[in-house]
Amino acid sequence: MVTGARRAGELRTADAPPGAGDRPVSTGPPDTVSTGPPGPDSPPDSGGPRAGKPVDTPLEARLRELAGAVPDPELPVLTLAELGVLRGVRGLGPGSVVVELTPTYTGCPALETMAADIERVLHDHGIPDVSVVTVLSPAWSTDDISAEGRRKLAEFGIAPPRPHTAGSGPVPLALSVRCPHCGSTETELLSRFSSTACKALRRCVSCREPFDHFKEL
């Protein structure tokens, strides 16, 4: 379900972007990228949180890489790809692409900054027409954060979210949060919210250091 879109830095309404299929043309100098239709040598799907998405063309894979490398404005230690909010990049025609983003939660204030940063990066690489649309289904989950993203969070001093337990079985009464400073699981909650709504403030009982915990969703 697409709920909104951005073109050239402004919000707009979009239902579903049209399909690709125009002839490839150059949209910038030699070190830029140009849009075009899928070719016979298109690589396998480059990955992403959603299963069954169309196979990326070589261009779309490159644009996904560029957009995915944009830092998260609230957690710049992570890229949008590592955070798992980048859903896809599709070429619509010569010099025109649509980028799909799913916010970590509805009303995330960083969404507009993410879109503006993606537009700037792709404009700088020769794509004049960039539309960033908000996709709410399937919803984002902390399980979408990559293994590298979790490693970076811990290295940065933020306890990464715990993976959700799959399948049936005993449900633990309490889940421990490991201190990113000393590794102790003896931690306590100080506040349900920290610098952002997606993080909680905790303190380690062992080393007494406070730290943020990226809450599970």
Side-chain angles (χ1 to χ4, degrees):
M1 177 178 65
V2 177
T3 60
R6 293 175 55 84
R7 183 186 298 273
E10 296 182 357
L11 291 173
R12 69 181 181 86
T13 301
D15 294 325
D22 296 327
R23 295 191 302 270
V25 297
S26 175
T27 60
D31 60 343
T32 63
V33 292
S34 60
T35 56
D41 299 327
S42 297
D45 186 7
S46 62
R50 293 187 299 163
K53 70 175 288 294
V55 175
D56 286 347
T57 67
L59 171 66
E60 289 169 340
R62 173 57 179 157
L63 296 180
R64 176 194 282 270
E65 180 183 347
L66 292 170
V70 171
D72 175 65
E74 292 183 337
L75 284 171
V77 67
L78 298 184
T79 66
L80 299 186
E82 292 165 344
L83 186 59
V85 297
L86 180 65
R87 295 308 203 196
V89 178
R90 288 177 289 134
L92 302 182
S96 179
V97 298
V98 61
V99 181
E100 297 177 341
L101 280 181
T102 296
T104 55
Y105 60 93
T106 303
C108 174
L111 193 59
E112 288 195 7
T113 302
M114 292 180 189
D117 289 345
I118 288 173
E119 290 171 358
R120 174 180 51 78
V121 167
L122 297 190
H123 287 161
D124 289 347
H125 284 80
I127 305 299
D129 185 11
V130 180
S131 298
V132 181
V133 298
T134 302
V135 178
L136 298 181
S137 179
W140 179 88
S141 164
T142 46
D143 285 344
D144 292 329
I145 301 177
S146 69
E148 177 64 8
R150 293 169 186 272
R151 185 195 67 80
K152 286 184 176 181
L153 283 173
E155 189 177 75
F156 192 65
I158 299 175
R162 298 156 297 196
H164 292 92
T165 302
S168 59
V171 178
L173 296 179
L175 296 175
S176 60
V177 176
R178 187 175 299 277
C179 173
H181 304 298
C182 71
S184 172
T185 57
E186 296 295 325
T187 64
E188 58 185 359
L189 179 67
L190 296 181
S191 173
R192 292 180 59 193
F193 300 99
S194 182
S195 56
T196 60
C198 59
K199 297 196 296 291
L201 181 62
R202 300 186 70 92
R203 180 171 56 198
C204 178
V205 176
S206 298
C207 70
R208 308 303 298 174
E209 287 292 330
F211 63 91
D212 281 338
H213 169 224
F214 202 115
K215 296 182 291 188
E216 292 76 24
L217 180 63

